[in-house]
Amino acid sequence: MGKKVLVVGNGGREHALAWKIAQSPEVGKLYVAPGNAGTLEWNVAISATDIPGLLEFAQKEGIDLTIVGPEAPLTLGIVDAFQKEGLRIFGPTQGAARLEGSKSFAKEIMEEAGVPTAQSRVFSEPEKAKEYIKHMGAPIVLKADGLAAGKGVIVAMDLDTALKAVDELMGGSLGESGKLLLIEEYMEGQEVSLLCLCDGEHAVALVPVQDHKRALDGDQGLNTGGMGTYSPPPFWNAEMEEEALRTIVHPTLKVMKDKGMPFQGVLFAGLMLTKNGPKTLEFNVRFGDPETQVVMARMESDLFEVLWACTEGQLKDIKLEWKKEKAICIVMAAPGYPMAYKKGIPIALPEVFEQGQVIFHAGTSLSQDGELQSSGGRVLGVTVLGDDLNQARQLGYALVEKIDFPGAHYRKDIGVKGL
Ligand code: AMP
Ligand code: GLY
């Protein structure tokens, strides 16, 4: 009998994971909790952070493998809860998830592992932080310690902005997440998202991706969760990947294992390609969104098999296969995103798709009349393959034109940095 799989989450990342998992010949039944309008056929109405609810469902249904999308359930300890009941789950434990949940913890681990990263210091008092900033000068980077949904980092190009940023981040609007502040050296270069599957000891890199974090063309405007991605970035090569695995990923896995927190799941290193090689901007402990959309579009291997191997500690026998085509994902967001935005905007999608083209849903739902509508900030991820990046861009934007989503906000320059 086919295996039963549960995907936890409701974003574009989870639609992409579910879409890929559903293609596995080994999978008999798929569920997504809670999912969105793109994953309707698989949805179960349990919130991604309702850990007792998810656990009860997995036990009742006899789920063979649970795959966790977002960071919130991981930092709440979903993996520990499932493992305690003998259930197989892909993702790091609560302790290991602190690599994303606490930037100061991540820095400590990086330091211990000798991982190349920006120099930084941690402050609990705003006045001390300001003194230090005046001493260091600008440009300089300020980061709230805890999770802040993309709002916790301010890259200050001048001193005035930097001093104001201390009050913004520590002033209370971020709650516990703003209690500690990291002040970090400014680094320059191209950014690359390197997602690695890990089984506690071994790591396998997925294809490299470049995200576009700012809301507006030309990397202007506010930081967002990500406005689009493409893969592979042409300025990344096999030697850099080898260097990143050797200097960043493997030493981190070793330290985590030595500390009794072996890392199983996705270790997602946000890298800056500096003049002196790849340096770590941050760790995430999960698949990226919208990185996953282009990674899944390019993946030839059976995702179910690979994630299963991770949970077995058998990753070293796995060799991943990829499509040669390049991929792009253009995020269509609600007007206003990442500031306040309207929900319930009606959306009409094309009925037929070309080979190698898929629209992953993120913030979508069905209205009371069963019509497709927006229900979040990032709404759709238009994901397309092409023989080269230029073609992928052309086909991607042509597909965007076929979508009826009034007022949709999207960037016109996804992938341009890779041309
Ligand atoms: P993070 O959440 O730490 O990845 O930071 C969000 C974004 O801020 C990154 O994607 C970078 O564009 C920028 N950033 C973070 N740290 C630095 C740094 N040390 N130097 C320059 N830019 C940074
Ligand atoms: N796209 C960046 C992230 O998933 O954190």
Side-chain angles (χ1 to χ4, degrees):
M1 218 183 69
K3 293 281 197 281
K4 291 185 176 180
V5 177
L6 169 65
V7 174
V8 176
N10 63 352
R13 162 183 51 210
E14 288 76 19
H15 187 186
L17 291 171
W19 171 84
K20 183 67 186 159
I21 286 285
Q23 295 169 29
S24 169
E26 293 194 48
V27 173
K29 192 98 185 75
L30 174 60
Y31 299 94
V32 183
N36 55 40
T39 56
L40 279 181
E41 58 186 304
W42 307 305
N43 287 356
V44 280
I46 309 171
S47 144
T49 49
D50 176 6
I51 293 172
L54 292 166
L55 185 60
E56 193 194 321
F57 177 80
Q59 284 174 319
K60 193 182 77 202
E61 290 297 323
I63 297 293
D64 297 295
L65 174 66
T66 298
I67 303 164
V68 187
E71 60 275 23
L74 294 169
T75 53
L76 288 171
I78 187 172
V79 170
D80 312 66
F82 272 55
Q83 285 178 346
K84 199 164 145 236
E85 298 301 325
L87 289 168
R88 184 186 297 266
I89 182 164
F90 177 79
T93 58
Q94 187 169 34
R98 286 174 68 213
L99 279 179
E100 174 166 358
S102 164
K103 290 192 190 277
S104 55
F105 175 76
K107 278 286 181 191
E108 283 166 28
I109 297 292
M110 285 189 230
E111 214 156 279
E112 206 171 321
V115 165
T117 182
Q119 298 238 1
S120 78
R121 280 186 53 181
V122 183
F123 293 89
S124 56
E125 294 170 45
E127 288 317 311
K128 292 251 163 66
K130 287 180 190 173
E131 263 170 50
Y132 179 70
I133 289 172
K134 283 181 197 153
H135 173 69
M136 296 303 285
I140 196 158
V141 180
L142 296 86
K143 300 185 177 185
D145 182 52
L147 293 178
K151 298 188 180 74
V153 176
I154 296 179
V155 179
M157 298 311 288
D158 59 75
L159 203 58
D160 201 40
T161 310
L163 295 172
K164 284 202 186 104
V166 174
D167 296 323
E168 271 170 52
L169 295 174
M170 299 189 91
S173 65
L174 296 178
E176 282 294 312
S177 288
K179 281 243 152 92
L180 293 178
L181 184 71
L182 263 81
I183 300 184
E184 191 170 285
E185 166 202 5
Y186 174 76
M187 299 192 291
E188 252 183 314
Q190 290 272 12
E191 280 185 54
V192 173
S193 300
L194 187 68
L195 281 63
C196 298
L197 300 176
C198 305
D199 68 358
E201 199 167 343
H202 310 97
V204 177
L206 305 180
V207 282
V209 182
Q210 187 166 48
D211 187 13
H212 298 66
K213 293 221 164 109
R214 301 294 197 94
L216 305 176
D217 283 15
D219 292 337
Q220 302 295 310
L222 295 171
N223 249 324
T224 71
M227 292 300 295
T229 43
Y230 70 95
S231 170
F235 40 80
W236 182 257
N237 58 39
E239 290 84 70
M240 291 170 181
E241 177 170 310
E242 186 279 322
E243 183 177 345
L245 285 168
R246 179 170 44 81
T247 65
I248 298 170
V249 179
H250 286 132
T252 301
L253 292 185
K254 168 112 187 11
V255 168
M256 292 300 284
K257 185 160 180 259
D258 291 348
K259 287 194 175 303
M261 292 182 275
F263 191 96
Q264 183 263 113
V266 176
L267 185 62
F268 162 178
L271 304 178
M272 187 74 94
L273 278 182
T274 70
K275 287 198 297 283
N276 304 316
K279 289 196 181 187
T280 312
L281 287 166
E282 64 162 352
F283 283 135
N284 295 312
V285 297
R286 50 168 175 86
F287 285 101
D289 189 346
E291 281 86 349
T292 304
Q293 288 83 323
V294 286
V295 171
M296 291 304 126
R298 295 191 66 206
M299 193 176 208
E300 202 70 80
S301 306
D302 182 335
L303 179 66
F304 172 80
E305 246 175 48
V306 175
L307 299 187
W308 187 275
C310 286
T311 64
E312 289 272 293
Q314 295 298 330
L315 199 53
K316 65 176 187 313
D317 302 327
I318 294 281
K319 170 111 182 47
L320 295 178
E321 310 280 345
W322 301 97
K323 294 192 167 74
K324 277 201 216 46
E325 286 110 313
K326 319 294 189 246
I328 184 170
C329 170
I330 303 153
V331 170
M332 297 180 77
Y337 177 81
M339 306 282 278
Y341 54 83
K342 213 175 107 185
K343 293 183 184 177
I345 303 170
I347 298 168
L349 300 179
E351 306 254 314
V352 282
F353 291 95
E354 305 286 330
Q355 175 83 7
Q357 305 196 357
V358 51
I359 297 174
F360 291 121
H361 292 229
T364 65
S365 62
L366 295 188
S367 69
Q368 291 201 328
D369 317 325
E371 301 292 335
L372 183 63
Q373 62 176 11
S374 73
S375 62
R378 293 188 294 171
V379 178
L380 300 170
V382 176
T383 308
V384 163
L385 293 173
D387 293 335
D388 56 30
L389 186 56
N390 228 331
Q391 192 194 35
R393 270 178 49 78
Q394 275 166 16
L395 294 172
Y397 282 102
L399 183 52
V400 165
E401 291 296 317
K402 291 190 195 149
I403 296 169
D404 183 13
F405 175 10
H409 164 59
Y410 60 92
R411 277 180 63 162
K412 317 284 184 295
D413 65 345
I414 303 302
V416 166
K417 281 191 278 192
L419 291 179

